[in-house]
Amino acid sequence: MMKKKLDRKIIKGVAASPGIAIGRVYLWDSEDYNIHTYPVKESSLATEIVRFEEALIKTRAEIIDIQKKLSKEMGVEHAEIFNAHLLVLEDRMLIEEVINKIKKERVNVERIFVEVLKKYCDIFSKMDDEYLRERLIDIQDVGKRVVRNLLGKQKTELFDLGEQVVVVATNLSPSDTALMQKDEVIGFATDMGGRTSHTAILARSLEIPAVVGLKTLTPGALKGNSIIIDGNNGIVIINPKTSDIKKYKIEKKNFENFERGLSRLKSLPSITKDKHTVQVGANIEFPEEMTSVLSHGAEGIGLYRTEYMFLNRPDFPSEEDHFKAYKKVAQCMQKKPVVIRTMDLGGDKFASHLNFPLEMNPLMGMRAIRFCLARPSIFKTQLAGILRASVYGNLKIMYPMISGVEELQQANLILQEVKTDLKKKGIPFDEKIEVGIMIEVPSAALIADILAKEVDFFSIGTNDLIQYALAVDRTNEKITYLYEPAHPAVLRILKSIIDTGHQAGIWVGMCGEMASEPPFILLLLGLGLDEFSASAVSVPEIKKVIRSVTYEQAKKIADKVLQFSTASQIESYTRTKLGEIIYNK
Ligand code: PEP
Ligand code: MG
């Protein structure tokens, strides 16, 4: 029999992490299960109903358990949010409808439960009352738990897969991605997400080729399909032709050679042709990245995203956990600077065990420093860990998401309390430890002169700053075309932050992804940026751009583009200049 040829499909998305992967599709969904329908004999109907009741009891126990943990760690008011989930489980109408339908239709309970639940969801989604409409999410959430318990499934995780795969998913959360092992997951592709979503950033840190924002990938990809991920150009090919595979095998080799070529720069300083020196550091999420940081020649750690320590675990990290992680990084970097950002939980990074209450706009919600100030004991534990580790290297503390000076003063007061406490206990720490803030909220940029008086440095977080300045959600694939680092408004803000920092006598760095994009590196250098920090893999390329240009050339480029009125003009001008200066085009 002739083998049916599978349809070849090419989809364009957002290039999230460089590299080429050629492999087989592993379709992954953390929550949806394939529900089969099968008949149930009359004699087994009672057993089917008992299965349903047991799943309800188990789900209830799980929720009560979460509530207990939550009230201990975050206060009763957070735990009470789950009361709505319990109410769904106790809804007599829903329960009786499921039982009656099992008896009447004589099919398995999962199938009936999902149908009844869908009917309820449809009713709630059409309600005028916003409060009731929001209950839809509770119903869906509880529904998923019940189905999971009916099927006796655990939430599947992306590790110990036992084979090399290319993960294909509608979406991947940063905590799902954090569990990936590079020797198993050789690439991934998602329908959702943007270049600066944390899932994309993590892919670069883990050096896993990835394409996101593909919108229509999952409906067409089947488990086991052959697939190519082109993370350099943001292209995915499902069921590629033999000639595609041949072409991409060559591209993969070329890319690896290009990377090897760049790595020759790793031990060279970040200095322009006319001897202007800047710092090029790496951003990390885990201490395990230190090998990559050192092998790529980073001159420091410009951003340690410590919130990852809070993900994928059933409790909060202890002071000892913090201390050990920071000590390891400090020692690896010897005397080089290590900027430890206090945790930036919330937004798109949730600690699963905390079941953060749902917010309409999590990116503008109870996240980062706001969460830390609301939960000072969690914050103090982390600060104590950082201070204790500070004697092992050159650590600096950085607060995320500062939007006003009072927040900064409050954070500094808490830091002072922790210092006093350590002193009382006779525990040594670096008394002169530098404290800085991320400038990632437009209000902070506008009052940079006021904030500068209270800190030792600024680090510009363009990933967030751009989304707040332009009102463009960084994780939303539908509006990636509006997420423009070169928007004239963004450039004006950047210039103002850098100038204000310098006037106040403090250094200004950037740890947002913009710092790793070659045309923008020229521009940022010209604006006077002192430090660039991005994923370790980007370090050699940043150095290459800096070493190929004079500071005077870069300043001229910055002056010129500040007069342009659109992002596309600015981007095209800087790209042309980059080509002329670096590649002699
Ligand atoms: C930023 O916002 O630019 C940043 C570096 O922080 P994060 O990406 O973790 O939000
Ligand atoms: Mg940020």
Side-chain angles (χ1 to χ4, degrees):
M1 199 172 67
M2 275 255 295
K3 229 167 124 187
K4 188 176 175 294
K5 245 175 105 192
L6 295 163
D7 284 343
R8 170 175 176 264
K9 214 166 156 190
I10 302 182
I11 312 178
K12 177 95 181 85
V14 177
S17 175
I20 310 285
I22 305 169
R24 299 257 157 216
V25 168
Y26 179 87
L27 261 187
W28 189 78
D29 199 314
S30 62
E31 297 290 356
D32 292 339
Y33 308 109
N34 285 331
I35 309 239
H36 299 291
T37 311
Y38 54 87
V40 175
K41 282 193 252 152
E42 167 117 41
S43 57
S44 304
L45 285 178
T47 320
E48 204 61 10
I49 293 165
V50 169
R51 270 209 317 125
F52 178 48
E53 284 165 351
E54 280 174 354
L56 292 179
I57 293 169
K58 190 154 185 234
T59 309
R60 187 182 155 75
E62 279 174 9
I63 293 173
I64 291 176
D65 204 38
I66 293 171
Q67 280 193 313
K68 273 193 202 140
K69 258 192 215 138
L70 269 184
S71 50
K72 205 168 105 216
E73 288 160 357
M74 306 197 41
V76 262
E77 68 279 19
H78 286 277
E80 276 170 3
I81 292 162
F82 278 85
N83 287 345
H85 288 212
L86 291 175
L87 285 179
V88 177
L89 286 176
E90 285 158 11
D91 188 315
R92 285 314 311 168
M93 245 169 64
L94 185 142
I95 296 173
E96 272 161 27
E97 190 170 345
V98 173
I99 294 177
N100 289 338
K101 267 179 126 323
I102 295 174
K103 287 182 188 158
K104 201 167 136 218
E105 295 180 23
R106 295 187 188 177
V107 289
N108 55 316
V109 51
E110 294 86 351
R111 165 60 52 215
I112 302 276
F113 179 70
V114 167
E115 278 173 13
V116 173
L117 202 75
K118 185 173 178 313
K119 192 179 98 185
Y120 271 64
C121 288
D122 288 347
I123 296 171
F124 273 80
S125 65
K126 288 185 190 119
M127 289 196 175
D128 287 334
D129 183 318
E130 194 179 334
Y131 173 79
L132 288 175
R133 233 183 13 246
E134 278 178 21
R135 299 284 65 75
L136 176 66
I137 293 161
D138 294 324
I139 300 175
Q140 286 170 332
D141 220 52
V142 174
K144 276 181 185 163
R145 279 182 190 280
V146 174
V147 171
R148 195 155 70 216
N149 285 326
L150 278 171
L151 296 173
K153 292 213 176 196
Q154 298 289 326
K155 183 174 186 284
T156 53
E157 308 283 14
L158 280 168
F159 66 95
D160 282 346
L161 300 174
E163 55 181 333
Q164 283 207 330
V165 294
V166 171
V167 171
V168 169
T170 310
N171 197 17
L172 283 167
S173 71
S175 42
D176 298 328
T177 315
L179 293 175
M180 286 183 185
Q181 291 164 327
K182 201 177 148 185
D183 53 350
E184 284 187 344
V185 180
I186 57 167
F188 73 77
T190 60
D191 290 332
M192 296 168 78
R195 191 178 145 72
T196 62
S197 60
H198 284 101
T199 296
I201 293 172
L202 257 185
R204 294 196 279 284
S205 292
L206 299 169
E207 296 176 49
I208 297 177
V211 181
V212 300
L214 287 147
K215 295 180 186 142
T216 57
L217 173 69
T218 52
L222 294 174
K223 183 170 185 278
N225 277 169
S226 157
I227 187 168
I228 295 174
I229 304 278
D230 174 357
N232 301 332
N233 298 299
I235 291 170
V236 166
I237 310 179
I238 304 174
N239 301 319
K241 294 193 287 196
T242 318
S243 57
D244 296 326
I245 296 181
K246 219 167 161 185
K247 176 184 145 198
Y248 271 103
K249 277 190 176 159
I250 297 170
E251 291 224 356
K252 188 164 157 47
K253 261 215 177 87
N254 290 345
F255 177 71
E256 284 160 3
N257 287 341
F258 168 75
E259 291 275 279
R260 259 195 295 278
L262 278 179
S263 79
R264 278 197 295 268
L265 292 160
K266 69 177 188 206
S267 47
L268 299 175
S270 311
I271 185 166
T272 60
K273 281 180 160 173
D274 52 352
K275 309 271 179 277
H276 173 75
T277 304
V278 292
Q279 273 262 331
V280 177
N283 295 348
I284 61 164
E285 283 78 25
F286 312 100
E288 290 72 25
E289 286 173 67
M290 293 317 293
T291 318
S292 167
V293 166
L294 296 174
S295 73
H296 285 97
E299 296 160 334
I301 301 291
L303 168 66
Y304 181 170
R305 289 187 168 95
T306 60
E307 55 277 7
Y308 280 90
M309 214 188 303
F310 291 73
L311 306 187
N312 297 317
R313 57 182 293 157
D315 51 8
F316 283 109
S318 63
E319 184 182 310
E320 202 57 24
D321 293 333
H322 285 292
F323 167 70
K324 278 193 194 143
Y326 311 146
K327 179 181 167 193
K328 178 173 177 192
V329 176
Q331 285 179 324
C332 280
M333 293 310 284
Q334 296 172 337
K335 287 283 161 225
K336 293 186 186 120
V338 174
V339 179
I340 304 198
R341 175 174 78 182
T342 55
M343 47 115 152
D344 182 10
L345 277 179
D348 63 344
K349 287 171 289 197
F350 297 107
S352 45
H353 66 286
L354 287 180
N355 277 297
F356 266 78
L358 210 74
E359 295 177 297
M360 285 295 278
N361 292 304
L363 290 166
M364 291 196 280
M366 180 47 93
R367 60 175 280 207
I369 196 71
R370 302 164 183 184
F371 175 83
C372 288
L373 296 179
R375 301 277 148 199
S377 67
I378 302 170
F379 190 34
K380 281 183 178 173
T381 305
Q382 177 170 35
L383 291 172
I386 303 175
L387 287 170
R388 280 177 53 204
S390 65
V391 290
Y392 295 95
N394 178 8
L395 298 191
K396 300 172 197 297
I397 295 174
M398 175 161 76
Y399 307 131
M401 279 285 285
I402 292 289
S403 61
V405 74
E406 280 149 322
E407 263 174 339
L408 169 57
Q409 287 164 341
Q410 246 179 297
N412 272 338
L413 265 180
I414 295 176
L415 176 63
Q416 197 47 54
E417 279 173 35
V418 180
K419 283 183 175 176
T420 311
D421 195 43
L422 289 180
K423 258 190 206 159
K424 263 196 224 146
K425 291 181 186 152
I427 298 174
F429 61 90
D430 173 7
E431 301 209 13
K432 292 208 180 75
I433 191 164
E434 282 191 17
V435 176
I437 53 171
M438 294 201 64
I439 302 282
E440 50 185 346
V441 180
S443 60
L446 287 166
I447 57 159
D449 55 329
I450 302 171
L451 297 168
K453 292 188 190 123
E454 320 253 347
V455 292
D456 300 300
F457 64 91
F458 287 158
S459 182
I460 309 175
T462 44
N463 303 340
D464 278 317
L465 184 62
I466 294 168
Q467 80 166 339
Y468 299 131
L470 305 182
V472 181
D473 178 348
R474 66 194 260 195
T475 65
N476 187 338
E477 67 287 349
K478 295 186 192 78
I479 45 174
T480 39
Y481 69 100
L482 285 174
Y483 190 93
E484 295 175 319
H487 192 295
V490 175
L491 296 199
R492 286 185 194 186
I493 299 174
L494 296 181
K495 179 172 168 44
S496 152
I497 301 168
I498 296 169
D499 289 349
T500 311
H502 288 170
Q503 277 152 23
I506 63 172
W507 61 267
V508 184
M510 179 178 290
C511 55
E513 296 303 300
M514 188 176 179
S516 64
E517 305 211 16
F520 303 144
I521 298 167
L522 278 185
L523 171 55
L524 295 166
L525 181 70
L527 287 174
L529 195 73
D530 303 300
E531 181 237 25
F532 295 69
S533 192
S535 316
V537 281
S538 304
V539 167
E541 194 161 27
I542 304 177
K543 282 191 180 179
K544 181 179 165 77
V545 176
I546 289 163
R547 293 178 58 83
S548 312
V549 68
T550 65
Y551 189 33
E552 285 313 309
Q553 276 175 313
K555 278 202 272 196
K556 269 199 195 132
I557 294 170
D559 284 346
K560 177 90 180 164
V561 298
L562 279 166
Q563 295 159 24
F564 293 161
S565 40
T566 66
S568 49
Q569 279 173 316
I570 295 169
E571 217 182 310
S572 116
Y573 184 81
T574 43
R575 276 195 193 285
T576 308
K577 286 287 161 197
L578 184 80
E580 282 170 17
I581 294 168
I582 301 191
Y583 305 108
N584 299 319
K585 279 188 189 156

